[in-house]
Amino acid sequence: MLLPIALRAQATGERVDGVVYDSLDRRPLANATVQIVSSPAGHGAYAAMSDSLGRFHIDDVRAGSYVAGFLHPRLDTLGILAATKSVIVGEGAAHLSLAIPSAATITRAICATPATSRKASSDSTGLLVGHVFDGVTGATLGASSIVLDMPTLVFGGNTTRSEVQHVRVHTNDDGWFAMCGLEADDYQVHAEHGTRATGTVDITIGPRAITTLSLVLGAEGATPGATLTGTVTAPGGHPLEGAQVGVDGSEVTTTTDAEGAFTLASVPDGSRMAEARVLGYLPKRVPVTPSRGETRRVSIVMAKRAQELNTVTVFGKPSWKTRDFTGFQERRKKGFGHFITREQIAQTNDVSICDLLSRVPGVTVSSNGGIGCSARLHAMVTGVGGGVSACEPKVYMDNLPFNGSVTEFTRSYSPRDIMGIEIYSASTQPIQYQGGCGSLVVWTR
């Protein structure tokens, strides 16, 4: 630990200069507090702040032996102290190079044991570190849980399904946590403390990289009272009208006006994601931290335009191997299942798939917070004993199994994308659209 600074009065002495570098981001580190402290005590202590290029200098330093180091909020987030260096003043120019350690060095220090030190330095996994804060007091929260959702593919027989595994770690007394050995991928994370929880936050773990994350927990048991305002724009800054905007943990959604502006009231406080969707662009999610009783502003820039293809008319004979919408019409005439046509969709003016499904008898729609929902079919005969329960149907998209849940489907598509939907119970589903709890067959435009 560096000693408290007692700045000396001006005196004739030497100059100490140098640079502070961030080895993680591979750039100079600005606003670092550099300290040099006499060793042994007796010559005093000195301090300076690094500039935008990471440079610093300290004048009028008395000759002697010193220990040099630096402080910076990034070190606090990483949960480490930078290594100190010895410097002798009075034997010519004194230059110092100080740095945040490399990702490999930090990962070894946090994750490796003697048995795993070689693996920790050679594999391609990443590290997630950060703190959990109380949104009311601003203090860190020890004894909190960090839960990471890890998508996995499960293979069985001739089918493949997606499951989510939950990885859990706990913060120390200072509210700090670390997750080691994460494969390079996209994940969702949330924090829990007693009955309080944040929303889910999207993160990306890079190979051999360190990702830092701060999570803020909202107040306990209070009615949502934060307000989120902002704009949705194209990459060039053009406002996008009619974009649908929602926040994880809230069922309230809205659409942007002609200026691309929106306002969401009664938003839960704490860390979570805001999401915008608009025709012609891929969905965009950005982290937000609404605060109770306050209005927070966010700018959402749609990152890329979804590719739009010119209309092509193709003539040919239908085949079971191709997308054949005529089957929709034939099955509709037979009267089995429930059907939503393009004409019905146009008449409802619904803004989400969830609204469409909520109109179907025997279907229960549940919001997952923000954009998207789950759906369960009633009176499903399941299990060896033939018991009756309600469960989620299997989704088919344009004649092929959809590799995801109903929630993922409803988050990825809007009514404008749909030509028709077929909903079948376990007892009425066609043989080509089998699902243990029934099936949801979707035809896109």
Side-chain angles (χ1 to χ4, degrees):
M1 291 287 294
L2 296 175
L3 299 177
I5 294 299
L7 297 178
R8 297 182 56 84
Q10 286 194 3
T12 302
E14 303 294 334
R15 178 184 176 96
V16 177
D17 60 22
V19 65
V20 187
Y21 191 74
D22 186 344
S23 300
L24 296 179
D25 289 342
R26 299 181 181 180
R27 63 184 181 187
L29 185 65
N31 300 318
T33 301
V34 179
Q35 298 180 352
I36 58 173
V37 182
S38 60
S39 177
H43 301 299
Y46 306 81
M49 188 77 72
S50 63
D51 62 17
S52 60
L53 297 178
R55 300 172 303 190
F56 69 90
H57 69 270
I58 305 173
D59 295 321
D60 296 324
V61 180
R62 293 186 59 181
S65 298
Y66 294 85
V67 174
F70 70 95
L71 305 174
H72 193 273
R74 189 148 166 77
L75 294 174
D76 298 334
T77 302
L78 292 168
I80 63 172
L81 290 174
T84 58
K85 285 190 174 183
S86 298
V87 58
I88 298 177
V89 177
E91 297 183 355
H95 300 288
L96 287 172
S97 293
L98 304 173
I100 292 179
S102 67
T105 300
I106 296 174
T107 301
R108 282 196 300 268
I110 294 176
C111 301
T113 64
T116 63
S117 59
R118 177 175 297 180
K119 180 180 185 297
S121 62
S122 62
D123 69 18
S124 60
T125 60
L127 168 66
L128 174 66
V129 297
H131 284 87
V132 176
F133 294 91
D134 188 325
V136 179
T137 66
T140 56
L141 282 174
S144 300
S145 297
I146 311 299
V147 183
L148 179 141
D149 297 336
M150 181 179 294
T152 59
L153 290 178
V154 179
F155 300 92
N158 296 323
T159 63
T160 302
R161 68 181 187 275
S162 177
E163 290 186 355
V164 177
Q165 294 183 350
H166 304 290
V167 179
R168 183 182 295 266
V169 298
H170 301 283
T171 61
N172 63 13
D173 292 340
D174 296 323
W176 180 84
F177 68 90
M179 283 189 174
C180 300
L182 298 177
E183 297 293 338
D185 206 343
D186 295 328
Y187 299 94
Q188 289 189 321
V189 179
H190 72 272
E192 300 173 354
H193 186 84
T195 60
R196 303 160 65 186
T198 68
T200 57
V201 176
D202 299 345
I203 61 169
T204 299
I205 302 295
R208 300 187 181 90
I210 297 178
T211 301
T212 59
L213 177 67
S214 294
L215 292 168
V216 179
L217 280 159
E220 182 175 9
T223 302
T227 301
L228 189 70
T229 67
T231 56
V232 179
T233 61
H238 178 74
L240 295 174
E241 182 180 5
Q244 185 182 9
V245 184
V247 175
D248 285 347
S250 172
E251 297 183 3
V252 179
T253 61
T254 188
T255 55
T256 56
D257 59 20
E259 302 299 322
F262 68 89
T263 298
L264 283 168
S266 300
V267 175
D269 54 342
S271 299
R272 54 196 70 250
M273 300 294 292
E275 180 174 279
R277 296 193 305 174
V278 62
L279 188 64
Y281 293 85
L282 297 176
K284 180 64 177 290
R285 290 167 60 86
V286 297
V288 294
T289 309
S291 182
R292 188 171 305 277
E294 297 182 8
T295 298
R296 294 291 175 90
R297 182 173 177 81
V298 61
S299 296
I300 303 177
V301 180
M302 307 305 286
K304 74 171 72 169
R305 178 179 291 273
Q307 185 177 5
E308 297 180 0
L309 301 178
N310 295 328
T311 301
V312 177
T313 303
V314 178
F315 299 92
K317 295 181 179 180
S319 168
W320 67 272
K321 296 181 179 179
T322 63
R323 181 172 176 264
D324 179 14
F325 192 65
T326 59
F328 175 95
Q329 304 295 354
E330 293 174 356
R331 288 185 292 273
R332 185 182 172 211
K333 292 177 181 178
K334 294 179 180 179
F336 296 103
H338 188 93
F339 294 79
I340 303 175
T341 66
R342 180 64 222 165
E343 291 75 16
Q344 292 170 332
I345 294 173
Q347 292 172 1
T348 63
N349 291 319
D350 287 336
V351 297
S352 73
I353 302 292
C354 304
D355 295 332
L356 286 177
L357 295 178
S358 66
R359 299 174 182 272
V360 179
V363 176
T364 299
V365 173
S366 302
S367 173
N368 295 322
I371 299 172
C373 61
S374 61
R376 300 172 73 84
L377 303 184
H378 296 176
M380 296 295 97
V381 180
T382 59
V384 177
V388 177
S389 65
C391 48
E392 187 167 286
K394 181 176 180 59
V395 181
Y396 287 83
M397 184 76 65
D398 294 331
N399 230 21
L400 296 173
F402 179 71
N403 189 21
S405 64
V406 172
T407 299
E408 292 169 308
F409 158 60
T410 58
R411 287 180 56 181
S412 303
Y413 293 85
S414 73
R416 289 172 291 188
D417 304 321
I418 305 302
M419 180 64 72
I421 300 178
E422 308 172 45
I423 301 97
Y424 297 101
S425 67
S427 60
T428 62
Q429 59 193 359
I431 190 171
Q432 68 268 38
Y433 302 126
Q434 291 292 306
C437 295
S439 54
L440 186 68
V441 184
V442 182
W443 299 92
T444 59
R445 299 177 72 180

